[in-house]
Structure formats: structure tokens, C-alpha cells
DNA sequence: AATTAGCAGTCGAGCAGCGAGAGTGCTAAT
DNA sequence: ATTAGCACTCTCGCTGCTCGACTGCTAATT
């Protein structure tokens, strides 16, 4: 039931009515029954109605259900596969160019904005980090990188820690993180880090932010297909369209999302309000990381209205990511 | 008179009425007089009216007049100069980065789309060109470049030329062009080429096209500020906005225009219908080439509706181009 | 207990009509 | 050559209207 509504709404962009469902899908139930079911769905928060006597439009929850239940398993069209192979195998062996073409291909496939970053080689290695006591609850976090550059930041801690306690914490954190690239740090973090009772939460948070910033520093990203936005009915008003273009063209919000995209060869689907980046809440993002984990990885994905065609989006992104990974490992073996 | 209308229309985007002019500018004439003058301007083709009883809106001719008469001489705002210096002197010495920032700065200044290409080093030098007789009026134009790559193209000539005549022509053209970079060829062309009676026009045209294509091959361009178009009233309808974004995002039309931008340190202003590129006819383009002629040059400029603020556009583009040229020559002297 | 038919009620889209306001073109006077 | 005056034109926003699409509810049916 819910899936029909979502699929219909994705296609038509209009509130879906009970009678339409009954007619279109030749179900053996009448519109009245459907109305009852829809009332239930509304109560559970899956769909809303623009006004009392109108059809239902799915909310983020409904899309989430749809994605988990149906869209994840889809395969890309044969045509898309051929196009990708043709375009990416031709010509250049330049990974930068691959990213640009991937964005272009994806954008055409999903008829939405697509983004891609070229594979980034994780260069910045952490040498050491220090915590210096300043006052009561204030400390300085100093991060020394392998290439001798230094990053620092003030921390306002939750509890007052002495210099000894801070040094202790620094030693612990160094043991875990030093010698690693920012990329590896992010990975190690999720896997190995266990909060130590003596660690101050704020210190950890600031460190995290600092590492992310370092990563973000020069992520180059290619954006393609901005014009697709203007075709979508949700952006018919100039205002919303302008906002969308502004956010996507600028790209810092996306950059933040990209950095947090996991590497476990899965597809990240972030639907509407789920997005930690406030600017991106009106949209959905489908992202995948590709490349060789820990060595050189990039990201491909697409951004669109929450009412986007998740099925082809997910399958296209997955196929592209896999193919780019293949290309990249082949390149690595060729020139060792 | 005409200048007032143009300036007013640029500001308000609404048809300018005779009474408004009389009131706003405190002229010592009445609205009736202005009406008479405007009727004349309409007859001369400078302005048109959306309907019988409406004010006048300037046409391409009027903008051309305005640009030549007023906009060319303007100086950029002090604020813009400071911003440019601050942003471009800071940090990196990477010309690619300069181009990106220049586009960004310009886009903000003119509140329109801005484009910039990083300085391209003219590498491809012409070694030799040959003309081979095939049939009656058909010949093959072969272009051999310094790096041993070969470009060829068929030519359907206007008159039948023998192999001897073709060889003759090739010798003449070689004398003029060989050893030069594609960049220098373009320059030499405008300056030194005099049509020889025995040269076939079509041959020359094809050669020209071939050189241009070679240049276009990998011009990287940075586009900034697409969102500005959505603010302009001329792109209120989703349709026209989408078309604009499509053309500008794609960029091949712009590429063609960029290649033909002269190097004589002038500002190229292409207004509406004047544009040889059909896709760009609804817009105006203000472009300047910067860098070291014959060695490494790039282009900065802006694209917007024909009703654009030519005064700040021209002054901003000029200032940026000059400043980028300075930066580039400084870089050249530093590392010889 | 679930399903269905029927019906009253709600809401939005589209259309015509209207009046106000802005601005022109023309004519006659200066 | 300029200007005042006036009739005419066109746009824009408002109102009220109808029509059609849907729902929610109730009562009947399986």
C-alpha cells in the first residue's frame, strides 16, 4: 500500500488519491477500503495531506520505508551500464576526468544534480597531539601533522581538568591515532574508540571537528546538472529554486556530508530532515564512496528533492562507484 | 536622453515612462517633450514598447550606444579593488586557484554569472601544413604539430585548384604561420593575413576552424554564481531560467566565445543578438583576456541578461584582468 | 469484522467581469 | 519647438462564480 503511494507520488508529484490507486493498479479492493488504509497511514505519520479533502503525500518516513524495502535491491538499466563503460573507458586515464564524467553520466541518468569528487590521496598524517591547560575549564588542543604544519584550537571543557589529566588524555589519544592519516583516523574512530572516563567529551568533539576540517580543506568536487532542478515541480517557485542552486553551487554543506560518507561499500541515503546539514534538509542525498580504502577514495552521488527516484538513483550510484573502484585499482596495479 | 532610459531600465527592469523621467531627473522639460523624443528613438530602433500604451524598453542598439558612450570609462569601486587584492594575494600561488577566486569575486561584484579560465600555456606549435589535391574541388588539409600529432580535414573548395596551386598556397600559409603556437596564429591572423587571390576562401576558413578546435580542446573553465540568474526578473519563468542554466553550465557555447576573445587588452562586450553563438543571443557577455600574450593567457568575464549593469561589469572585469596579468608576470619573473 | 456503496461537504483551479491606475498619442494652444 | 489637456489603451489585482476532484462518514453488505 504505502509503496504504491510512494511510487505514484515519485512519478506524478501530485497528491495521490484513493480512486486513482484503485483504478490504476487493478487491486481487488474499492477506493473506500483504500481510504481507510490511508487514514491509518496518516495516523502513523507516513503520509500527510495538503488540505482536508485531498490525496496523501508521503513524508520522510515513507521514503525511508520505500528505500529500505524496495529501492536498495534494484539494478541499473543495461543502457546505463553501457554508457558508463563507454564513457569512462574511452580516452584518458585521468582520475580527475573520471570524476567529472561520472558526475555528468549520473546527472543524466537520474535527471538530477550529481556530484563527484576525484579520488583523494590521504596525505596529512597526524604526528602528535597535545593538550595544554590554560585556565579552569579551558585548554588548547594542538595538532602537529607529519609535514610540520600545526593546527590549534581552544576548547571549553565541561569539567575542570588539571594539566596532568590532560597529558594523560593526550597520551591515550596519541597511542590510538598518531601516525595515521586523517582518513584512517576517521575509520579508527568508529571502530576502536571507547570513551575513557577521564576524557572530556568536548575535547573529543573538538578533535573530531579539527580532523574533519583538515580533510575538508581541499576536497575538490564536481557538480553537474543544476538545470535539472528547474524542471522539478517542487522548485517551480523562483525562491526555492534559487535557494537550491545556491546551496548546491556553493558546496560547503555537501562537502561536510561527503566527508562523513562511510567506506563500507554501502550506499548512504539521507532523506530530508535526517540530514545533519541544515541547508540540505529540503533535499535527499544518495552517496557512495569508491576507491581503495585508506589509500585513495572519492565520492559519487546525487542530490534531489525528497521525492526523487530512489530506485534508479541508488542503482546508478552503486554501479558507478563499483566501476570507478575497478578503474582505480586497475590503475594502481598498472603503475606500482 | 537615451542614456537615461538605459540606465533607468537597467536599474528597475520595468518599461520606463516619460513622466518618471521628467520627475526623477529634474529636467527642465515636460513629459510631453520626452514623449516626442521617445517616439523618435522608437522609430530609429533604439527602443521598443511591450504594448501601445506602455513605456519604452531599450534594445541591443541602445545598450551598444550606452556601453560605447559611458560604461567603457568607468572605474571599479574602491571596495572591489580591496577585495580582489585581499583574496588573490592571500595564500596560494596557484593560477588555477586564482581563476576560481576571480570567478567568485566577479560573480559577487556584478551579481551575475561569472566565468574564468586559468591561464593556458600555448603548447601546440604548428610545424607544417599541407594541402593535398583529391578531386576537382576537393582537397585534404593536413596540419602537423610540433609534437608530431596530425590533424586533418576535408575541404570542399569553391573553385577547382590544381595540386600546384594548392602547394603554392600551402607554402604561402606556412611562411606566415609555421613555428607559431595556435595562440600566436590567431593573433597573426588578424594582424598580418592578407587574402591572396589564389587562396581559396573555404580552405582558409577550414584552417581557421581547425586551429580553433585545437585551442578549444581542453580549455578548463570555472563558472560561478549561477544562482544569480534566478534573481533576475527576466528569468522568472522556469523555462527561461532552465535554458539559461543549461547553456551556461554546459559551457561549450561559452568556450567558443572565449577562444575568439581578442588579446589587445581591451574588453569585449557582446550584446544580445550580436553574439555569433546562437545559444547566447538572449544574454550579454563581457570578457577580457589576461596574462602574457603568446605565452600563457586566460579569460575572465561575466554573462547576464542584456539588461545588465555594464558599468560595473566592464570596470570589474577590466580591473580583474589587469590584476591577474600582474600576478602572472610576477610569477613568471620569480621562477624563470 | 472487514469491505463497500452512497452521499454530503470541502477545497482548489480556472474564468469572467470590473475598476483603478499608469501611461501614451494626439490635438490645439503657447 | 514646447506644452497642457484629454480621450483612449492596456495591465493588474480583486471578486465571485462554477466545476470537478476527493475525502469522511454512515449505513448496508458479505
Amino acid at each position: 500500500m504505502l509503496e504504491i503511494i510512494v511510487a505514484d507520488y515519485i512519478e506524478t508529484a501530485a497528491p495521490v488519491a484513493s480512486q486513482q490507486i484503485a483504478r490504476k493498479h487493478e487491486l481487488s479492493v474499492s477506493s473506500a477500503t483504500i481510504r481507510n488504509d490511508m487514514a491509518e497511514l496518516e495516523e502513523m505519520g507516513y503520509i500527510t495531506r495538503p488540505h482536508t479533502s485531498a490525496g496523501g503525500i508521503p513524508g520522510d518516513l515513507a521514503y525511508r520505508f520505500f528505500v529500505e524495502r524496495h529501492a536498495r535491491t534494484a539494478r541499473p538499466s543495461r543502457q546505463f551500464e553501457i554508457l558508463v563503460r563507454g564513457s569512462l573507458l574511452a580516452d584518458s586515464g585521468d582520475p580527475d576526468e573520471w570524476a567529472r564524467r561520472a558526475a555528468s553520466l549520473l546527472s543524466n541518468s537520474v535527471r538530477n544534480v550529481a556530484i563527484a569528487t576525484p579520488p583523494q590521496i590521504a596525505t596529512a598524517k597526524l604526528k602528535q597531539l597535545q593538550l595544554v591547560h590554560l585556565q579552569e575549564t579551558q585548554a588548547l588542543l594542538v595538532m602537529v601533522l607529519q609535514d610540520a604544519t600545526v593546527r590549534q584550537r581552544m576548547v571549553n571543557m565541561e569539567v575542570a581538568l588539571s594539566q596532568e589529566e590532560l597529558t594523560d588524555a593526550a597520551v591515550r589519544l596519541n597511542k590510538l591515532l598518531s601516525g595515521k592519516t586523517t582518513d584512517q583516523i576517521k575509520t579508527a574512530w568508529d571502530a576502536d574508540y571507547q570513551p575513557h572516563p577521564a576524557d572530556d567529551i568536548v575535547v573529543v568533539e573538538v578533535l573530531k571537528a579539527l580532523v574533519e576540517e583538515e580533510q575538508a580543506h581541499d576536497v575538490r568536487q564536481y557538480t553537474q546538472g543544476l538545470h535539472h532542478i528547474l524542471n522539478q515541480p517542487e522548485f517551480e517557485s523562483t525562491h526555492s529554486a534559487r535557494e537550491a542552486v545556491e546551496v548546491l553551487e556553493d558546496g560547503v554543506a555537501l562537502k561536510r556530508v561527503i566527508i562523513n560518507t562511510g567506506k563500507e561499500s554501502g550506499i548512504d541515503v539521507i532523506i530530508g530532515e535526517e540530514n545533519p546539514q541544515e541547508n540540505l534538509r529540503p533535499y535527499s542525498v544518495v552517496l557512495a564512496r569508491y576507491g581503495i580504502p585508506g589509500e585513495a577514495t572519492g565520492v559519487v552521488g546525487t542530490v534531489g528533492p525528497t521525492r526523487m527516484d530512489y530506485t534508479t538513483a541508488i542503482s546508478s550510484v552503486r554501479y558507478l562507484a563499483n566501476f570507478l573502484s575497478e578503474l582505480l585499482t586497475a590503475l594502481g596495479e598498472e603503475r606500482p
Side-chain angles (χ1 to χ4, degrees), chain A:
Chain A
M1 183 70 240
L2 183 53
E3 60 201 81
I4 294 178
I5 297 176
V6 174
D8 247 47
Y9 186 70
I10 286 176
E11 198 186 335
T12 64
V16 333
S18 53
Q19 303 172 29
Q20 281 185 341
I21 297 179
R23 218 179 309 130
K24 200 168 175 182
H25 296 274
E26 302 194 358
L27 301 180
S28 47
V29 290
S30 82
S31 67
T33 317
I34 296 173
R35 272 203 289 285
N36 289 336
D37 292 355
M38 282 178 72
E40 223 171 306
L41 286 174
E42 190 178 2
E43 225 164 299
M44 291 193 283
Y46 284 106
I47 63 176
T48 43
R49 303 185 188 273
H51 57 90
T52 30
S53 69
I57 67 178
D60 291 354
L61 245 67
Y63 291 124
R64 172 55 62 197
F65 166 85
F66 184 78
V67 166
E68 299 306 332
R69 181 77 171 261
H70 293 86
R72 288 245 185 236
T73 60
R75 303 216 52 225
S77 76
R78 193 89 203 98
Q79 202 192 359
F80 179 69
E81 293 186 7
I82 293 167
L83 228 61
V84 169
R85 299 195 105 80
S87 177
L88 291 183
L89 287 176
D91 223 52
S92 89
D94 175 17
D96 225 69
E97 178 68 22
W98 291 344
R100 241 170 299 152
R101 294 203 185 170
S104 181
L105 286 162
L106 184 56
S107 160
N108 282 331
S109 170
V110 300
R111 289 158 191 280
N112 255 320
V113 179
I115 46 171
T117 72
Q120 305 276 319
I121 299 151
T123 45
K125 279 190 187 174
L126 176 69
K127 197 166 182 180
Q128 204 196 0
L129 60 85
Q130 290 165 13
L131 286 165
V132 183
H133 183 80
L134 294 179
Q135 296 171 23
E136 283 289 293
T137 62
Q138 205 171 50
L140 189 69
L141 172 64
V142 183
M143 205 165 89
V144 185
L145 302 180
Q146 203 75 291
D147 62 351
T149 57
V150 176
R151 301 290 135 105
Q152 57 184 26
R153 177 140 320 173
M154 296 273 265
V155 186
N156 288 307
M157 299 179 291
E158 287 204 317
V159 270
L161 294 180
S162 69
Q163 179 63 57
E164 282 82 44
E165 292 172 302
L166 285 174
T167 313
D168 257 24
V171 168
R172 270 199 313 281
L173 288 169
N174 271 318
K175 201 174 285 172
L176 183 62
L177 304 175
S178 82
K180 294 205 166 118
T181 63
T182 50
D183 230 40
Q184 292 169 319
I185 289 177
K186 287 283 297 177
T187 323
W189 209 275
D190 302 334
D192 302 337
Y193 176 73
Q194 271 134 20
H196 190 278
D199 285 352
D200 190 281
I201 307 166
V202 182
V203 173
V204 175
E205 283 308 315
V206 170
L207 177 58
K208 238 176 171 169
L210 208 56
V211 170
E212 270 184 20
E213 228 167 76
E214 190 58 33
Q215 277 190 292
H217 190 246
D218 41 20
V219 174
R220 191 84 76 74
Q221 59 185 312
Y222 297 109
T223 310
Q224 268 295 321
L226 278 172
H227 60 99
H228 285 303
I229 307 190
L230 300 168
N231 277 336
Q232 247 109 26
E234 22 269 286
F235 302 109
E236 224 183 52
S237 92
T238 333
H239 178 70
S240 59
R242 211 203 56 222
E243 259 182 5
V245 173
E246 230 162 297
V247 174
L248 298 178
E249 198 185 17
D250 167 51
V252 320
L254 273 174
K255 217 176 255 184
R256 298 231 175 86
V257 174
I258 284 172
I259 289 163
N260 284 312
T261 301
K263 337 196 142 14
E264 320 82 34
S265 79
I267 312 280
D268 279 21
V269 181
I270 307 169
I271 299 171
E273 295 293 326
E274 297 171 7
N275 206 312
Q277 286 299 310
E278 203 171 340
N279 300 347
L280 292 173
R281 298 249 170 90
Y283 322 111
S284 280
V285 184
V286 177
L287 278 185
R289 194 167 279 278
Y290 70 89
I292 308 155
E295 279 192 58
T297 67
V299 163
V300 265
T302 172
V303 186
T306 52
R307 180 193 67 79
M308 85 189 281
D309 182 352
Y310 292 98
T311 314
T312 63
I314 290 175
S315 61
S316 297
V317 169
R318 185 194 300 116
Y319 186 79
L320 258 177
N322 286 341
F323 193 71
L324 284 169
S325 293
E326 275 177 43
L327 280 177
L328 216 56
T329 46
L331 189 71
E333 282 159 14
E334 209 172 281
R335 313 178 196 164

